Amino acid sequence: MIRKIVLFTANKSSGIEQMTEEIAEILNKDGIECVCFFPEGTDVSRKELNCRYYSISPYECVFSRNVTEVADKIVKEKSDAVWFTDTPLMSSLVLRKIYKKCKTIITIHDPKSHPSNKSSILLSLYNKYAELNKKKAYNVAQNIVLMSAESLSQYKTMFPQYCDKSVLLPLGAHIPKDDPQKPVEIQDGQDFHLFFGVIDKYKGIENLLDSYNNSQQRIPLVIAGKGKFTDKEKEKIGKSTNVIILNRYITNGEMKWLIPHAKSIVLPYIEASQSGVLPIAYSYGVPVIVSDLPGLTQYVENEKTGFVCKNIKEMTDALNILSSNDNYDLRENTLHYYKTQLDWKQNLRKLLLIFGEGK
């Protein structure tokens, strides 16, 4: 039985931190003591988080001395389990330091790496080193958590030797406590379709722009997120008169305003094992338009909670449909799906039973 747990994240992505906060808050309410390790300098608000937490320096922790210091702090907590909620290099290194003294759990968000616009020799070497340590962490961790059925399937195919300790926790919506704030680029009362997330090669922005430029463009398309557009994407953006670009860091408050005000959330990804944006959209009752990828379609009931698109034409048709209708039924369906399939509380409680049994 789990009575005390350490939650550890070395990732400065606000989505991962919000997820870790959400887990801590739910477990606290269930009477489980939580101690959290977060990267320093992050903007996740912890004013209402009823647990102790430490700030760590993730970029310094690749050095042995720093790893040891953090590992020692974790061991001194004498918890029933240590749950690493993501897999950057620091998490792998710390896990390998403590696994003989603590029950360790590691969360994998994407079994496969995605193609990226970011490239350099130094980054390539760093990624190879991180990947090597990640595999070593898989070997010694007692439980490995995957956050979608597709991720679990991919992982078991890639690492069949770890099937017996791999478990599923369906990804729920982790929504920050910040007050909603309308981005200055959006007009009052303006309807729009929304792409939200980091801009990168595997996100399929080019296909989205082709689909939108072929549509009737009754309402704007908002592309909100930090990252680098390709030259082709820039060219297609320039040909459209109704695309609003927020190519910058989007605050938690802006995210909380954008998603519930959107007519649809569009996920035109080229590759995906899951999406954190999709459950957030469902929690607000917003239908989705997704590429025909198992990592996305596993959550979508076609024409009930959104539209599954096999090609650009189908995505264009979906944009046209969701531009012109109130889509009341779709919104009701997405809320129902979230409450019955993606509720954090019930899924976490099931998972804690597995952790407590040591399976």
Side-chain angles (χ1 to χ4, degrees), residues 317-330:
D317 292 342
L319 288 166
N320 286 333
I321 291 169
L322 291 176
S323 292
S324 56
N325 298 332
D326 290 332
N327 307 302
Y328 176 79
D329 289 341
L330 268 70

PDB file of all heavy atoms in Angstrom, residues 317-330:
ATOM      1  N   ASP A 317     -12.817  19.403 -45.242  1.00  0.00           N
ATOM      2  CA  ASP A 317     -14.262  19.204 -45.026  1.00  0.00           C
ATOM      3  C   ASP A 317     -14.617  19.386 -43.547  1.00  0.00           C
ATOM      4  O   ASP A 317     -15.637  20.008 -43.216  1.00  0.00           O
ATOM      5  CB  ASP A 317     -14.678  17.818 -45.493  1.00  0.00           C
ATOM      6  CG  ASP A 317     -14.590  17.650 -47.004  1.00  0.00           C
ATOM      7  OD1 ASP A 317     -14.551  18.672 -47.718  1.00  0.00           O
ATOM      8  OD2 ASP A 317     -14.556  16.490 -47.464  1.00  0.00           O
ATOM      9  N   ALA A 318     -13.775  18.839 -42.659  1.00  0.00           N
ATOM     10  CA  ALA A 318     -14.038  18.957 -41.227  1.00  0.00           C
ATOM     11  C   ALA A 318     -13.982  20.409 -40.768  1.00  0.00           C
ATOM     12  O   ALA A 318     -14.818  20.862 -39.972  1.00  0.00           O
ATOM     13  CB  ALA A 318     -13.033  18.107 -40.447  1.00  0.00           C
ATOM     14  N   LEU A 319     -13.012  21.154 -41.275  1.00  0.00           N
ATOM     15  CA  LEU A 319     -12.922  22.583 -40.937  1.00  0.00           C
ATOM     16  C   LEU A 319     -14.161  23.331 -41.383  1.00  0.00           C
ATOM     17  O   LEU A 319     -14.694  24.188 -40.657  1.00  0.00           O
ATOM     18  CB  LEU A 319     -11.669  23.190 -41.580  1.00  0.00           C
ATOM     19  CG  LEU A 319     -10.327  22.794 -40.969  1.00  0.00           C
ATOM     20  CD1 LEU A 319      -9.177  23.175 -41.904  1.00  0.00           C
ATOM     21  CD2 LEU A 319     -10.124  23.447 -39.605  1.00  0.00           C
ATOM     22  N   ASN A 320     -14.656  23.013 -42.582  1.00  0.00           N
ATOM     23  CA  ASN A 320     -15.868  23.667 -43.087  1.00  0.00           C
ATOM     24  C   ASN A 320     -17.074  23.338 -42.218  1.00  0.00           C
ATOM     25  O   ASN A 320     -17.877  24.218 -41.881  1.00  0.00           O
ATOM     26  CB  ASN A 320     -16.131  23.240 -44.527  1.00  0.00           C
ATOM     27  CG  ASN A 320     -15.183  23.890 -45.514  1.00  0.00           C
ATOM     28  OD1 ASN A 320     -14.671  24.987 -45.271  1.00  0.00           O
ATOM     29  ND2 ASN A 320     -14.930  23.228 -46.635  1.00  0.00           N
ATOM     30  N   ILE A 321     -17.225  22.070 -41.841  1.00  0.00           N
ATOM     31  CA  ILE A 321     -18.370  21.651 -41.017  1.00  0.00           C
ATOM     32  C   ILE A 321     -18.342  22.352 -39.662  1.00  0.00           C
ATOM     33  O   ILE A 321     -19.358  22.892 -39.199  1.00  0.00           O
ATOM     34  CB  ILE A 321     -18.363  20.121 -40.821  1.00  0.00           C
ATOM     35  CG1 ILE A 321     -18.680  19.411 -42.143  1.00  0.00           C
ATOM     36  CG2 ILE A 321     -19.369  19.701 -39.751  1.00  0.00           C
ATOM     37  CD1 ILE A 321     -18.442  17.913 -42.116  1.00  0.00           C
ATOM     38  N   LEU A 322     -17.183  22.362 -39.025  1.00  0.00           N
ATOM     39  CA  LEU A 322     -17.103  22.931 -37.685  1.00  0.00           C
ATOM     40  C   LEU A 322     -17.065  24.458 -37.690  1.00  0.00           C
ATOM     41  O   LEU A 322     -17.223  25.092 -36.650  1.00  0.00           O
ATOM     42  CB  LEU A 322     -15.882  22.375 -36.955  1.00  0.00           C
ATOM     43  CG  LEU A 322     -15.988  20.885 -36.600  1.00  0.00           C
ATOM     44  CD1 LEU A 322     -14.701  20.385 -35.958  1.00  0.00           C
ATOM     45  CD2 LEU A 322     -17.159  20.624 -35.668  1.00  0.00           C
ATOM     46  N   SER A 323     -16.871  25.054 -38.857  1.00  0.00           N
ATOM     47  CA  SER A 323     -16.944  26.519 -38.958  1.00  0.00           C
ATOM     48  C   SER A 323     -18.379  27.005 -38.949  1.00  0.00           C
ATOM     49  O   SER A 323     -18.677  28.097 -38.454  1.00  0.00           O
ATOM     50  CB  SER A 323     -16.283  26.992 -40.259  1.00  0.00           C
ATOM     51  OG  SER A 323     -14.906  26.782 -40.235  1.00  0.00           O
ATOM     52  N   SER A 324     -19.280  26.202 -39.495  1.00  0.00           N
ATOM     53  CA  SER A 324     -20.635  26.694 -39.766  1.00  0.00           C
ATOM     54  C   SER A 324     -21.681  26.241 -38.760  1.00  0.00           C
ATOM     55  O   SER A 324     -22.792  26.758 -38.753  1.00  0.00           O
ATOM     56  CB  SER A 324     -21.070  26.248 -41.168  1.00  0.00           C
ATOM     57  OG  SER A 324     -20.982  24.831 -41.283  1.00  0.00           O
ATOM     58  N   ASN A 325     -21.351  25.284 -37.888  1.00  0.00           N
ATOM     59  CA  ASN A 325     -22.359  24.739 -36.974  1.00  0.00           C
ATOM     60  C   ASN A 325     -22.027  25.056 -35.522  1.00  0.00           C
ATOM     61  O   ASN A 325     -20.873  25.310 -35.172  1.00  0.00           O
ATOM     62  CB  ASN A 325     -22.456  23.211 -37.138  1.00  0.00           C
ATOM     63  CG  ASN A 325     -22.901  22.820 -38.536  1.00  0.00           C
ATOM     64  OD1 ASN A 325     -23.602  23.573 -39.204  1.00  0.00           O
ATOM     65  ND2 ASN A 325     -22.478  21.648 -38.983  1.00  0.00           N
ATOM     66  N   ASP A 326     -23.070  25.010 -34.676  1.00  0.00           N
ATOM     67  CA  ASP A 326     -22.853  25.177 -33.241  1.00  0.00           C
ATOM     68  C   ASP A 326     -22.272  23.910 -32.614  1.00  0.00           C
ATOM     69  O   ASP A 326     -21.658  23.965 -31.553  1.00  0.00           O
ATOM     70  CB  ASP A 326     -24.160  25.534 -32.536  1.00  0.00           C
ATOM     71  CG  ASP A 326     -24.632  26.942 -32.896  1.00  0.00           C
ATOM     72  OD1 ASP A 326     -23.767  27.780 -33.213  1.00  0.00           O
ATOM     73  OD2 ASP A 326     -25.846  27.182 -32.859  1.00  0.00           O
ATOM     74  N   ASN A 327     -22.525  22.760 -33.244  1.00  0.00           N
ATOM     75  CA  ASN A 327     -21.934  21.490 -32.814  1.00  0.00           C
ATOM     76  C   ASN A 327     -22.242  21.162 -31.354  1.00  0.00           C
ATOM     77  O   ASN A 327     -21.390  20.673 -30.613  1.00  0.00           O
ATOM     78  CB  ASN A 327     -20.411  21.517 -33.017  1.00  0.00           C
ATOM     79  CG  ASN A 327     -20.037  21.895 -34.431  1.00  0.00           C
ATOM     80  OD1 ASN A 327     -20.438  21.222 -35.368  1.00  0.00           O
ATOM     81  ND2 ASN A 327     -19.304  22.986 -34.592  1.00  0.00           N
ATOM     82  N   TYR A 328     -23.496  21.404 -30.955  1.00  0.00           N
ATOM     83  CA  TYR A 328     -23.886  21.155 -29.570  1.00  0.00           C
ATOM     84  C   TYR A 328     -23.712  19.683 -29.204  1.00  0.00           C
ATOM     85  O   TYR A 328     -23.193  19.350 -28.134  1.00  0.00           O
ATOM     86  CB  TYR A 328     -25.338  21.580 -29.348  1.00  0.00           C
ATOM     87  CG  TYR A 328     -25.855  21.276 -27.962  1.00  0.00           C
ATOM     88  CD1 TYR A 328     -25.532  22.113 -26.893  1.00  0.00           C
ATOM     89  CD2 TYR A 328     -26.650  20.147 -27.720  1.00  0.00           C
ATOM     90  CE1 TYR A 328     -25.997  21.836 -25.613  1.00  0.00           C
ATOM     91  CE2 TYR A 328     -27.111  19.865 -26.445  1.00  0.00           C
ATOM     92  CZ  TYR A 328     -26.783  20.712 -25.398  1.00  0.00           C
ATOM     93  OH  TYR A 328     -27.230  20.429 -24.130  1.00  0.00           O
ATOM     94  N   ASP A 329     -24.137  18.787 -30.102  1.00  0.00           N
ATOM     95  CA  ASP A 329     -24.041  17.351 -29.817  1.00  0.00           C
ATOM     96  C   ASP A 329     -22.591  16.919 -29.649  1.00  0.00           C
ATOM     97  O   ASP A 329     -22.261  16.134 -28.757  1.00  0.00           O
ATOM     98  CB  ASP A 329     -24.701  16.530 -30.930  1.00  0.00           C
ATOM     99  CG  ASP A 329     -26.216  16.664 -30.922  1.00  0.00           C
ATOM    100  OD1 ASP A 329     -26.758  17.083 -29.878  1.00  0.00           O
ATOM    101  OD2 ASP A 329     -26.849  16.364 -31.945  1.00  0.00           O
ATOM    102  N   LEU A 330     -21.707  17.409 -30.523  1.00  0.00           N
ATOM    103  CA  LEU A 330     -20.295  17.064 -30.411  1.00  0.00           C
ATOM    104  C   LEU A 330     -19.717  17.534 -29.082  1.00  0.00           C
ATOM    105  O   LEU A 330     -18.930  16.826 -28.441  1.00  0.00           O
ATOM    106  CB  LEU A 330     -19.493  17.662 -31.572  1.00  0.00           C
ATOM    107  CG  LEU A 330     -19.322  16.778 -32.818  1.00  0.00           C
ATOM    108  CD1 LEU A 330     -20.643  16.611 -33.553  1.00  0.00           C
ATOM    109  CD2 LEU A 330     -18.264  17.346 -33.748  1.00  0.00           C
TER     110      LEU A 330
END
